[in-house]
Amino acid sequence: MTISPFEALLSMSGEYDLFLDIKAWPKLLFENNLTPPVILADDVPIWGFSLMRQARDIGIPELPCMRISPAEKKDLLYIAIALENRAGSYSWEERKNILEFCLINNIAVDDAIIQTIEAGRFTDWQKKTEKYIGFPDSLKKLVQSRMLDIKSAEKIVSLPEPCIALVYEKKEKLTHSERRIFLEQLHEVMQRDGLAEKETSALCRTMLDAPDPVKLLEAARYPNLSSMQKEFLQHAQLLRKQGIALSAPDNFEGEAFFIRFPFVSRQNFNKKVNALQAFENHIDELFTLL
Amino acid sequence: MNYSHFYNDYIHAVYATPAAKDSLAACRVTERLPGVPFSIVASKDDIPEKHKNQKTVFLTATPGKKFGPCPGSKRHLCCNYLTINLYEGCPIGCSYCIMQAYLNFEPVTVNVDIEAITKELDEVIQSNPDTPIRIGTGETGDSLFYDPLFELSKNFIEHCAQFPNVYFEVKTKSHFVDHLLGIPNKGKAVVAFSLNPQEIIDAEEGIASSLAQRLEAADKAVKAGYLLAFHFDPIIRVKNWQEMYLNVADQLSQFEKGKIVWISLGTVRYPAQLKDRLGSRPWLYDEFVPCRDGKHRYIQRIRTEIYRSVAGWLTESTGAPLYMCMESPAVWRRVFGKISSKIDNLCAIFTKVHR
Ligand code: SF4
């Protein structure tokens, strides 16, 4: 059995239109009626919206269709999710659609439903999805486009929207993990310094306009540490010019510095020793870093 | 103390294992909190879901190690402290409490099998007759918050009093010492208070007693014949921290010299994986770096500055031996000029106990 025209179905409210158009069905399947059937219950489409939209877009006039007996909305939802069959890979926007469907229709979001969506254990599904729903649009967009994970999004939710929009706009400036660190540190600086929306947004823009936004923001988040690093680098550079490598313990956590140098002759050795002797003047300053 | 009035707010259910149900602690809780439901369960896992929280107390006498060395921290100097897990869990609710992050959904466990713990303890004491031994109950929970109700510390104080080399320490953020004052033989029992400026107590230490209450309790304890100890841990670098901690240090000068057997210092720290669970406390926005034991601490230079200042004030006001909790040899050298084992008045604290 086929349905035609399905334009009318598409223009209906589409209560069960929960999923994004993820899968592109090959035209050949449409032309030979080989796509899965659109499912209707009581003349209401339950599953197949994506198929119908694709068919419409490529000018296919009719699609296979199957009518099932009317059933409880919860069962119809199960059927839709089972046919979509992408457990574990639904986007947050789709999870949102499913949760909203459940809430509107008084369907308890139990483990059985969650398992059809998530392929395995997923703690606090409803809570997390509700959090996503509560995010401002710009943050939703960032999460939905997989540019930020939900956990990090939760942490930075109070960042002003213009900052998040800017990070989205300048997406090429940061890698995925840099973006997470950038947003978290921006949020921490905002909280620490009690910055207002305008100030935070200005800070965000300045950072993102810089050649290395992560490094610049890190210096703002860790002012002591970064000035210590700067100071250390100055000392290290003095020695590097003489072919001597100076290293400090990680994060200046420890009690010893190290120097290392190659020497190829007595003369060369003496030159390095002289350089080290000259460096002695800086030793006290160096030790203030530990 | 009006038990039912106070503890009814903090204990909504009591569960006991069959072995613990007739213990003295169980009798005390049923008698003193008649309105709180008391049930028997085979194990902690059998406590119903709705009672898996910190308002439930679980009494157990299950065998297992309840006594051992404080775990210390990798690559940091350890003070060879021995701990008894008497109360596991705590309702005080300090924002910085790592245990909170782990144990929030756990009932507070009370290990009532005093005899078994004492036996383990005796073995260690007997193999170290000439070594100063420090034993405490404050590592897995507050030593005294529930103690007026269960009165378990009394047993250890009395027992340890026989051994002149044993310091038995109870550590608390409460002021609940009254039930301990009348114990006739205290030996070298130490009543210890964790201290912080009142501003930090208000902001970070949940339902803990005020600084004034703790100091008043310390005064009562010392007058009753106890030794005292204080723990400035965690020290938090808030705005005006110098004035605040100096003020607390000054207040300790009221105690007779020699009565304070030790004071420990430790700056606030947390394991990286628990940062998220600590929420968004303002102190977390300070500069922390990962240390060699995996915990995050203030930058070494900043810690050193804090320790030097606080140690200076405390030495002036109390003259008591000071040590740092879970600190690196580098910081020890910078603060005290040497590591713990080379400092004379810390021998009693840092001598290794053979087990
Ligand atoms: S008193 Fe100690 S155990 Fe209790 S919450 Fe505070 S830090 Fe944690």
Side-chain angles (χ1 to χ4, degrees):
Chain A
M1 168 181 189
T2 57
I3 44 165
S4 165
F6 44 75
E7 281 294 338
L9 291 179
L10 271 176
S11 62
M12 285 170 63
S13 69
E15 199 184 358
Y16 292 87
D17 189 2
L18 305 168
F19 311 111
L20 303 182
D21 298 342
I22 300 287
K23 185 165 178 175
W25 298 88
K27 197 172 176 197
L28 206 62
L29 294 189
F30 285 106
E31 287 166 350
N32 291 289
N33 269 352
L34 288 174
T35 57
V38 172
I39 306 296
L40 299 174
D42 240 357
D43 285 334
V44 173
I46 302 304
W47 183 82
F49 291 88
S50 172
L51 277 171
M52 291 192 277
R53 276 188 286 269
Q54 284 185 46
R56 177 196 59 198
D57 294 348
I58 57 176
I60 300 288
E62 51 180 41
L63 279 175
C65 139
M66 184 180 277
R67 286 179 195 281
I68 57 170
S69 347
E72 298 264 328
K73 284 199 164 176
K74 183 170 182 172
D75 294 333
L76 295 176
L77 175 68
Y78 273 122
I79 291 171
I81 300 174
L83 287 170
E84 186 68 17
N85 195 21
R86 283 194 288 115
S89 66
Y90 291 103
S91 68
W92 283 102
E93 205 54 27
E94 291 171 312
R95 291 182 178 112
K96 167 188 150 263
N97 293 342
I98 297 170
L99 178 61
E100 283 175 347
F101 180 92
C102 291
L103 295 177
I104 291 168
N105 294 296
N106 277 327
I107 297 171
V109 187
D110 54 22
D111 281 352
I113 290 194
I114 295 169
Q115 266 160 26
T116 56
I117 306 166
E118 300 298 347
R121 257 177 73 81
F122 192 105
T123 44
D124 297 335
W125 187 89
Q126 182 162 351
K127 227 158 112 191
K128 282 184 184 147
T129 310
E130 275 166 354
K131 277 199 176 134
Y132 172 81
I133 293 172
F135 286 164
D137 287 345
S138 56
L139 191 54
K140 272 196 195 124
K141 202 164 146 192
L142 219 53
V143 173
Q144 176 61 11
S145 54
R146 297 186 198 272
M147 286 166 63
L148 191 70
D149 60 278
I150 188 101
K151 208 167 148 212
S152 306
E154 261 180 76
K155 284 192 220 161
I156 57 115
V157 66
S158 60
L159 271 179
E161 277 216 69
C163 294
I164 300 166
L166 199 63
V167 168
Y168 183 86
E169 189 188 308
K170 303 214 169 199
K171 45 179 167 276
E172 75 293 343
K173 283 223 82 162
L174 303 166
T175 64
H176 191 276
S177 68
E178 282 176 344
R179 188 174 304 113
R180 180 179 52 75
I181 294 168
F182 182 89
L183 285 165
E184 282 183 19
Q185 292 194 344
L186 183 65
H187 180 252
E188 289 177 349
V189 171
M190 175 184 90
Q191 297 285 3
R192 182 193 66 194
D193 299 346
L195 300 184
E197 173 171 338
K198 235 175 154 180
E199 295 162 313
T200 314
S201 304
L203 179 69
C204 180
R205 183 168 288 282
T206 311
M207 299 288 160
L208 284 172
D209 284 345
D212 189 346
V214 174
K215 203 154 180 206
L216 194 61
L217 186 55
E218 196 170 75
R221 173 64 185 87
Y222 297 98
N224 279 299
L225 192 61
S226 65
S227 84
M228 286 162 77
Q229 275 155 352
K230 239 191 226 157
E231 205 179 313
F232 173 77
L233 271 181
Q234 282 167 1
H235 294 303
Q237 258 156 18
L238 282 179
L239 285 175
R240 194 181 309 142
K241 282 184 200 144
Q242 311 295 331
I244 299 170
L246 173 70
S247 60
D250 284 350
N251 299 309
F252 305 102
E253 184 65 33
E255 52 189 339
F257 293 97
F258 291 89
I259 43 176
R260 200 165 56 95
F261 59 85
F263 57 97
V264 291
S265 63
R266 172 181 286 271
Q267 195 194 17
N268 182 234
F269 179 77
N270 284 339
K271 202 176 146 209
K272 304 231 162 138
V273 169
N274 288 340
L276 284 171
Q277 256 160 7
F279 186 71
E280 201 186 338
N281 296 332
H282 299 272
I283 288 293
D284 290 338
E285 290 161 40
L286 193 62
F287 273 104
T288 62
L289 296 174
L290 298 185
Chain B
M1 183 164 197
N2 183 339
Y3 298 100
S4 54
H5 185 76
F6 179 78
Y7 286 109
N8 271 337
D9 281 348
Y10 300 107
I11 303 179
H12 290 174
V14 178
Y15 288 85
T17 58
K21 76 175 197 316
D22 297 320
S23 63
L24 216 53
C27 298
R28 283 180 184 134
V29 76
T30 46
E31 188 192 308
R32 292 170 177 178
L33 300 180
V36 174
F38 182 93
S39 326
I40 315 292
V41 283
S43 76
K44 201 181 200 173
D45 297 339
D46 297 325
I47 295 174
E49 224 37 59
K50 67 169 182 184
H51 282 151
K52 284 196 173 143
N53 57 54
Q54 294 208 317
K55 297 223 163 165
T56 297
V57 167
F58 171 62
L59 308 181
T60 177
T62 334
K65 277 247 168 290
K66 302 284 178 264
F67 171 64
C70 170
S73 221
K74 223 170 57 189
R75 299 207 186 93
H76 285 66
L77 293 181
C78 170
C79 62
N80 294 310
Y81 195 65
L82 298 171
T83 62
I84 298 172
N85 300 349
L86 190 59
Y87 299 105
E88 294 179 49
C90 173
I92 291 181
C94 304
S95 69
Y96 49 73
C97 181
I98 298 307
M99 234 176 42
Q100 279 258 109
Y102 288 117
L103 298 178
N104 239 352
F105 302 105
E106 289 275 325
V108 174
T109 299
V110 184
N111 292 304
V112 299
D113 194 356
I114 305 299
E115 230 173 274
I117 303 175
T118 316
K119 220 171 120 200
E120 281 185 64
L121 211 131
D122 282 352
E123 281 165 24
V124 174
I125 297 176
Q126 270 147 27
S127 13
N128 295 272
D130 303 317
T131 310
I133 300 176
R134 296 194 312 145
I135 303 168
T137 53
E139 290 307 302
T140 52
D142 191 282
S143 299
L144 296 183
F145 187 86
Y146 292 109
D147 207 57
L149 185 61
F150 296 109
E151 296 189 44
L152 295 174
S153 300
K154 186 171 179 257
N155 300 279
F156 293 106
I157 293 172
E158 284 171 339
H159 184 80
C160 292
Q162 313 163 49
F163 308 102
N165 59 326
V166 176
Y167 294 89
F168 175 76
E169 180 184 31
V170 289
K171 186 159 90 182
T172 189
K173 284 193 183 105
S174 77
H175 61 286
F176 303 158
V177 296
D178 289 355
H179 66 296
L180 302 178
L181 301 180
I183 298 173
N185 198 0
K186 301 175 179 80
K188 284 198 168 120
V190 180
V191 181
F193 296 85
S194 295
L195 297 183
N196 247 322
Q198 187 58 45
E199 294 83 344
I200 293 180
I201 294 174
D202 289 341
E204 312 290 346
E205 294 190 349
I207 56 164
S209 301
S210 69
L211 176 65
Q213 284 173 314
R214 291 182 221 179
L215 293 179
E216 197 185 314
D219 188 49
K220 281 188 201 168
V222 77
K223 283 184 177 144
Y226 284 102
L227 296 168
L228 293 179
F230 295 104
H231 298 279
F232 285 80
D233 192 356
I235 297 173
I236 304 183
R237 192 174 79 130
V238 292
K239 201 166 160 230
N240 300 331
W241 66 269
Q242 290 99 327
E243 278 162 51
M244 291 180 188
Y245 282 97
L246 172 60
N247 178 279
V248 181
D250 277 351
Q251 294 188 56
L252 299 191
S253 63
Q254 65 178 290
F255 300 108
E256 192 187 322
K257 297 250 170 339
K259 291 290 179 194
I260 305 176
V261 280
W262 52 74
I263 298 178
S264 77
L265 311 176
T267 53
V268 68
R269 54 199 173 275
Y270 61 87
Q273 68 274 24
L274 285 187
K275 185 181 176 196
D276 293 347
R277 302 226 211 158
L278 291 171
S280 57
R281 306 303 307 152
W283 55 266
L284 276 171
Y285 301 128
D286 208 326
E287 288 183 66
F288 288 88
V289 292
C291 296
R292 296 170 77 193
D293 60 353
K295 295 200 176 93
H296 280 55
R297 292 177 173 82
Y298 296 135
I299 298 168
Q300 179 172 295
R301 181 160 94 171
I302 293 175
R303 296 202 315 275
T304 302
E305 181 202 327
I306 295 173
Y307 287 132
R308 278 185 187 148
S309 305
V310 179
W313 301 326
L314 287 168
T315 301
E316 199 171 319
S317 66
T318 69
L322 299 174
Y323 69 96
M324 291 178 291
C325 189
M326 293 189 197
E327 263 307 347
S328 64
V331 173
W332 271 90
R333 286 203 184 89
R334 273 160 183 73
V335 175
F336 294 121
K338 39 190 148 183
I339 57 167
S340 51
S341 55
K342 303 259 159 53
I343 300 176
D344 285 346
N345 70 355
L346 294 185
C347 284
I349 301 174
F350 283 88
T351 309
K352 200 161 173 64
V353 173
H354 302 289
R355 305 195 66 243

PDB file of all heavy atoms in Angstrom, chain B residues 90 92-94 96-97 99-100 141-142 173, ligand 1:
ATOM      1  N   CYS B  90      29.510  11.745  57.747  1.00  0.00           N
ATOM      2  CA  CYS B  90      29.408  12.925  58.604  1.00  0.00           C
ATOM      3  C   CYS B  90      28.306  13.834  58.061  1.00  0.00           C
ATOM      4  O   CYS B  90      28.246  14.079  56.862  1.00  0.00           O
ATOM      5  CB  CYS B  90      30.746  13.638  58.573  1.00  0.00           C
ATOM      6  SG  CYS B  90      30.743  15.210  59.394  1.00  0.00           S
ATOM      7  N   ILE B  92      27.927  17.025  58.832  1.00  0.00           N
ATOM      8  CA  ILE B  92      28.214  18.458  59.026  1.00  0.00           C
ATOM      9  C   ILE B  92      28.134  19.230  57.709  1.00  0.00           C
ATOM     10  O   ILE B  92      27.622  20.336  57.667  1.00  0.00           O
ATOM     11  CB  ILE B  92      29.569  18.636  59.769  1.00  0.00           C
ATOM     12  CG1 ILE B  92      29.377  18.134  61.210  1.00  0.00           C
ATOM     13  CG2 ILE B  92      30.020  20.088  59.758  1.00  0.00           C
ATOM     14  CD1 ILE B  92      30.576  18.244  62.110  1.00  0.00           C
ATOM     15  N   GLY B  93      28.627  18.629  56.659  1.00  0.00           N
ATOM     16  CA  GLY B  93      28.404  19.233  55.338  1.00  0.00           C
ATOM     17  C   GLY B  93      29.362  20.337  54.958  1.00  0.00           C
ATOM     18  O   GLY B  93      28.950  21.366  54.409  1.00  0.00           O
ATOM     19  N   CYS B  94      30.644  20.133  55.208  1.00  0.00           N
ATOM     20  CA  CYS B  94      31.616  21.152  54.785  1.00  0.00           C
ATOM     21  C   CYS B  94      31.722  21.140  53.264  1.00  0.00           C
ATOM     22  O   CYS B  94      31.773  20.073  52.657  1.00  0.00           O
ATOM     23  CB  CYS B  94      32.977  20.867  55.395  1.00  0.00           C
ATOM     24  SG  CYS B  94      32.902  20.747  57.181  1.00  0.00           S
ATOM     25  N   TYR B  96      34.153  21.756  51.371  1.00  0.00           N
ATOM     26  CA  TYR B  96      35.418  21.265  50.842  1.00  0.00           C
ATOM     27  C   TYR B  96      35.624  19.789  51.137  1.00  0.00           C
ATOM     28  O   TYR B  96      36.668  19.234  50.820  1.00  0.00           O
ATOM     29  CB  TYR B  96      36.582  22.070  51.439  1.00  0.00           C
ATOM     30  CG  TYR B  96      36.505  22.206  52.949  1.00  0.00           C
ATOM     31  CD1 TYR B  96      36.781  21.127  53.772  1.00  0.00           C
ATOM     32  CD2 TYR B  96      36.113  23.396  53.540  1.00  0.00           C
ATOM     33  CE1 TYR B  96      36.669  21.238  55.142  1.00  0.00           C
ATOM     34  CE2 TYR B  96      35.995  23.520  54.909  1.00  0.00           C
ATOM     35  CZ  TYR B  96      36.282  22.435  55.713  1.00  0.00           C
ATOM     36  OH  TYR B  96      36.154  22.540  57.066  1.00  0.00           O
ATOM     37  N   CYS B  97      34.653  19.153  51.772  1.00  0.00           N
ATOM     38  CA  CYS B  97      34.869  17.788  52.249  1.00  0.00           C
ATOM     39  C   CYS B  97      34.838  16.794  51.092  1.00  0.00           C
ATOM     40  O   CYS B  97      33.829  16.643  50.417  1.00  0.00           O
ATOM     41  CB  CYS B  97      33.819  17.414  53.278  1.00  0.00           C
ATOM     42  SG  CYS B  97      34.057  15.755  53.909  1.00  0.00           S
ATOM     43  N   MET B  99      35.065  13.644  51.443  1.00  0.00           N
ATOM     44  CA  MET B  99      34.227  12.519  51.839  1.00  0.00           C
ATOM     45  C   MET B  99      32.760  12.768  51.495  1.00  0.00           C
ATOM     46  O   MET B  99      32.029  11.869  51.138  1.00  0.00           O
ATOM     47  CB  MET B  99      34.343  12.352  53.336  1.00  0.00           C
ATOM     48  CG  MET B  99      34.739  10.958  53.709  1.00  0.00           C
ATOM     49  SD  MET B  99      34.978  10.872  55.444  1.00  0.00           S
ATOM     50  CE  MET B  99      33.649  11.805  56.088  1.00  0.00           C
ATOM     51  N   GLN B 100      32.389  14.014  51.643  1.00  0.00           N
ATOM     52  CA  GLN B 100      31.021  14.412  51.310  1.00  0.00           C
ATOM     53  C   GLN B 100      30.692  13.985  49.888  1.00  0.00           C
ATOM     54  O   GLN B 100      29.620  13.485  49.603  1.00  0.00           O
ATOM     55  CB  GLN B 100      30.934  15.934  51.321  1.00  0.00           C
ATOM     56  CG  GLN B 100      30.776  16.527  52.636  1.00  0.00           C
ATOM     57  CD  GLN B 100      29.326  16.899  52.796  1.00  0.00           C
ATOM     58  OE1 GLN B 100      28.633  16.255  53.554  1.00  0.00           O
ATOM     59  NE2 GLN B 100      28.856  17.871  52.061  1.00  0.00           N
ATOM     60  N   GLY B 141      35.150  10.695  59.681  1.00  0.00           N
ATOM     61  CA  GLY B 141      33.950  11.416  60.101  1.00  0.00           C
ATOM     62  C   GLY B 141      34.313  12.257  61.309  1.00  0.00           C
ATOM     63  O   GLY B 141      35.451  12.196  61.784  1.00  0.00           O
ATOM     64  N   ASP B 142      33.377  13.020  61.795  1.00  0.00           N
ATOM     65  CA  ASP B 142      33.652  13.834  62.975  1.00  0.00           C
ATOM     66  C   ASP B 142      33.624  12.919  64.209  1.00  0.00           C
ATOM     67  O   ASP B 142      32.679  12.161  64.413  1.00  0.00           O
ATOM     68  CB  ASP B 142      32.576  14.923  63.083  1.00  0.00           C
ATOM     69  CG  ASP B 142      32.926  15.966  64.121  1.00  0.00           C
ATOM     70  OD1 ASP B 142      32.748  15.681  65.329  1.00  0.00           O
ATOM     71  OD2 ASP B 142      33.394  17.052  63.743  1.00  0.00           O
ATOM     72  N   LYS B 173      34.546  19.239  64.804  1.00  0.00           N
ATOM     73  CA  LYS B 173      34.149  20.616  64.489  1.00  0.00           C
ATOM     74  C   LYS B 173      32.905  20.954  65.295  1.00  0.00           C
ATOM     75  O   LYS B 173      32.210  21.914  65.001  1.00  0.00           O
ATOM     76  CB  LYS B 173      33.830  20.745  62.996  1.00  0.00           C
ATOM     77  CG  LYS B 173      35.057  20.783  62.137  1.00  0.00           C
ATOM     78  CD  LYS B 173      34.742  21.230  60.733  1.00  0.00           C
ATOM     79  CE  LYS B 173      35.972  21.193  59.887  1.00  0.00           C
ATOM     80  NZ  LYS B 173      36.011  20.079  58.963  1.00  0.00           N
TER      81      LYS B 173
HETATM   82  S1  SF4 C   1      33.402  17.779  59.570  1.00  0.00           S
HETATM   83 FE1  SF4 C   1      34.974  16.698  58.435  1.00  0.00          FE
HETATM   84  S2  SF4 C   1      34.018  14.822  57.768  1.00  0.00           S
HETATM   85 FE2  SF4 C   1      32.378  16.213  58.363  1.00  0.00          FE
HETATM   86  S3  SF4 C   1      31.766  17.246  56.471  1.00  0.00           S
HETATM   87 FE3  SF4 C   1      33.296  18.530  57.484  1.00  0.00          FE
HETATM   88  S4  SF4 C   1      35.258  17.910  56.583  1.00  0.00           S
HETATM   89 FE4  SF4 C   1      33.762  16.300  56.108  1.00  0.00          FE
END
